[in-house]
Amino acid sequence: MLGSRRSRRRLTTALAGLGLFVTGAALQVTTTATPAHAATTHRVLFDDGHAEEAGNADWIISTSKPDPLSQDSSPSSETDWTGALSSWGVALQKTGSYSLKTATSALTYGGSSTTDLSNFDTLVLPEPNTLFTTAEKTAIMTFVKNGGGLFMISDHTGADRNSDGEDAVEILNDLMTNNSVDSTDPFGFSIDSLDISSGYPAAISDSTDPVLHGSFGTVTKSLFADGTTATLKPADNSAVKGLVYRSGYSGNTGAFFATSTFGSGRVAFWGDSSPIDDGTGQSGNTLYDGWNDTGATNAALALNATAWLAGEGTSGGGGGGGTTCTASQLLGNNGFESGNTTWSASSGVITNSSSEAARTGSYKAWLDGYGTATTDTLSQSVSIPSDCTTAALSFYLHVDTAETTTSTAYDTLKVQVLNSSGTVLSTLATYSNLNAASGYTQRSFSLASYAGQTVTLKFTGVEGSTLQTSFVVDDTALNVS
């Protein structure tokens, strides 16, 4: 649409600030994150900062925190460490290939704490019972996006162990749907509000799956002792996969154990905490020994999944920047349908205004178009795994102008790659009012030369003092393999 469109500027500066905060956090990570250890050292952090010991629960590997080795430096049995997850911890410790810690305070990423997520390959959330803060959700999601492994263990709906009005189903769904990194069903599943009292859900037949057939054994069944399932949404994330199903269910419903990817990281979901319970723990708790239940293979499932999440069998662990390349799309909110999240943008750039149509959905990024001197920007920080040989950036661009010249570029849009210090590494392309045309055109560039780096993709639109030019961007992607 020709002419000024100033009235479409409806988003607030505060919302734009949120986008700036997200990108700033990601940039901070690149300067403070600890490099991943060798492939044989898998660093696993178990969370105990969200009421995992509340009520009749004891979801810890040891009462010695953060380091379980302070309780027993060479454990040989589950009782050498104290906690209902001690069997899990001891089994990993005995391999000699794992470094285990427990977090008891707020989860961070890119900070100086010894339990900062940048120091780990995998984060285990064993039935959290308090909501994660906004900052914690940003930390967790950024950790996974940048290569970390996330193990989410739920329980049945209504299992509110600390009576704060929230249970693990609500808390984990909130993490996935109410965060500043990507709330558009990033993992491709949601957790069902169910209480399934008992049963032995069966594993699918897939001899190639490393979680079902890993170094710790073969998985055949798991255990319901009041648990729930997940609904899979492969249209949102094609990597989501159900591995263990409630009896009578398959496909996208009734998944008791599922895996997925996000960015360059990996995700696992388990619908009950009873399978990881080894029946031992602190005095006063009534525990269930699901770990050693002879009707299931819960130990193999937990341990194989931990190994897969931590990157076993690859050239490096996660650590929010590991070297494993999982084929995936890395940009968050890539179609802008979550509004002004994930991207850092000038006020009003991300909009659902009907004055310029989105290519798909309702939202797009609309830079300039005022007919007055204006500079608009749109940017997102992204980490490209070092083992990826392909990194293809693409986006659809529509240019609409009121300029009549056929020779002078009065208004321009630059597409650039910046490093963590804000230095321009490359200008991929410059478009102008001379590129005006009806409809959208896809533009593509290779970013393979930036593998192993965290870079910022930035669009900068600069408009002169008269006659508007609108640069409209939609359906972005950064596909790596």
Side-chain angles (χ1 to χ4, degrees):
M1 174 173 288
L2 302 181
S4 176
R5 47 81 190 225
R6 179 178 295 275
S7 61
R8 66 99 176 178
R9 297 295 194 182
R10 57 174 194 79
L11 298 181
T12 66
T13 302
L15 282 174
L18 175 61
L20 288 168
F21 168 78
V22 173
T23 299
L27 290 174
Q28 180 187 21
V29 167
T30 66
T31 59
T32 60
T34 302
H37 288 192
T40 55
T41 303
H42 304 306
R43 304 161 297 168
V44 183
L45 182 67
F46 287 81
D47 182 48
D48 187 35
H50 297 85
E52 281 91 351
E53 296 180 73
N56 199 40
D58 193 46
W59 311 134
I60 55 174
I61 57 174
S62 170
T63 51
S64 177
K65 310 165 194 174
D67 190 355
L69 296 179
S70 296
Q71 183 173 18
D72 190 316
S73 61
S74 185
S76 59
S77 69
E78 65 185 58
T79 55
D80 291 336
W81 288 354
T82 307
L85 306 186
S86 59
S87 287
W88 189 353
V90 169
L92 294 174
Q93 182 64 35
K94 288 168 66 176
T95 69
S97 298
Y98 288 82
S99 172
L100 311 177
K101 294 291 188 294
T102 299
T104 58
S105 56
L107 296 169
T108 61
Y109 184 53
S112 59
S113 168
T114 57
T115 57
D116 185 84
L117 289 174
S118 63
N119 298 320
F120 296 90
D121 303 309
T122 301
L123 169 66
V124 180
L125 302 177
E127 195 193 336
N129 254 259
T130 59
L131 287 167
F132 297 102
T133 67
T134 298
E136 286 181 310
K137 288 185 285 187
T138 297
I140 294 168
M141 296 297 292
T142 304
F143 166 70
V144 181
K145 183 179 179 182
N146 289 349
L150 177 64
F151 204 155
M152 300 190 296
I153 300 166
S154 186
D155 201 358
H156 62 90
T157 190
D160 181 7
R161 298 181 184 273
N162 61 342
S163 301
D164 69 343
E166 305 289 346
D167 58 36
V169 173
E170 296 165 320
I171 292 163
L172 295 175
N173 277 333
D174 177 72
L175 169 64
M176 295 186 286
T177 62
N178 185 27
N179 67 80
S180 62
V181 177
D182 189 338
S183 295
T184 59
D185 193 22
F187 305 154
F189 66 85
S190 59
I191 304 172
D192 304 323
S193 296
L194 297 173
D195 184 350
I196 304 166
S197 60
S198 61
Y200 286 96
I204 65 171
S205 177
D206 186 347
S207 61
T208 66
D209 190 275
V211 176
L212 298 180
H213 300 272
S215 59
F216 291 97
T218 297
V219 176
T220 57
K221 292 185 178 181
S222 189
L223 166 75
F224 275 117
D226 289 308
T228 189
T229 56
T231 297
L232 311 186
K233 303 172 186 177
D236 295 339
N237 186 330
S238 61
V240 70
K241 179 181 181 182
L243 301 186
V244 179
Y245 281 87
R246 180 184 182 186
S247 179
Y249 290 78
S250 63
N252 295 335
T253 59
F256 183 54
F257 196 103
T259 58
S260 188
T261 64
F262 174 61
S264 52
R266 299 174 174 181
V267 179
F269 160 79
W270 208 340
D272 196 355
S273 53
S274 294
I276 57 170
D277 187 344
D278 62 19
T280 67
Q282 300 176 67
S283 176
N285 287 340
T286 303
L287 301 172
Y288 181 90
D289 191 358
W291 188 266
N292 298 301
D293 191 302
T294 58
T297 48
N298 293 317
L301 183 52
L303 296 168
N304 285 345
T306 308
W308 177 75
L309 289 167
E312 185 172 286
T314 67
S315 58
T323 57
T324 301
C325 185
T326 301
S328 56
Q329 194 288 114
L330 301 184
L331 294 179
N333 191 21
N334 60 310
F336 306 105
E337 295 305 310
S338 289
N340 204 45
T341 65
T342 309
W343 296 90
S344 172
S346 299
S347 178
V349 162
I350 298 177
T351 177
N352 63 352
S353 169
S354 60
S355 297
E356 285 282 4
R359 178 179 176 270
T360 61
S362 300
Y363 282 84
K364 64 278 177 179
W366 183 355
L367 296 89
D368 299 334
Y370 288 104
T372 59
T374 305
T375 298
D376 275 342
T377 60
L378 172 75
S379 63
Q380 183 175 151
S381 177
V382 62
S383 295
I384 304 174
S386 59
D387 271 8
C388 291
T389 57
T390 300
L393 170 68
S394 64
F395 57 89
Y396 284 83
L397 175 65
H398 168 56
V399 181
D400 175 342
T401 189
E403 300 284 359
T404 58
T405 179
T406 59
S407 59
T408 304
Y410 289 113
D411 311 311
T412 60
L413 175 73
K414 288 185 177 181
V415 185
Q416 297 175 310
V417 180
L418 287 66
N419 65 14
S420 59
S421 299
T423 300
V424 175
L425 301 177
S426 174
T427 297
L428 301 176
T430 300
Y431 305 101
S432 73
N433 49 282
L434 300 178
N435 298 109
S438 60
Y440 283 85
T441 301
Q442 187 177 37
R443 312 289 183 170
S444 301
F445 306 91
S446 174
L447 300 187
S449 61
Y450 302 105
Q453 300 181 48
T454 296
V455 296
T456 295
L457 306 177
K458 187 173 184 180
F459 298 80
T460 303
V462 178
E463 188 175 32
S465 58
T466 61
L467 299 179
Q468 74 88 25
T469 298
S470 296
F471 301 100
V472 191
V473 178
D474 204 357
D475 297 327
T476 66
L478 178 51
N479 291 304
V480 298
S481 60

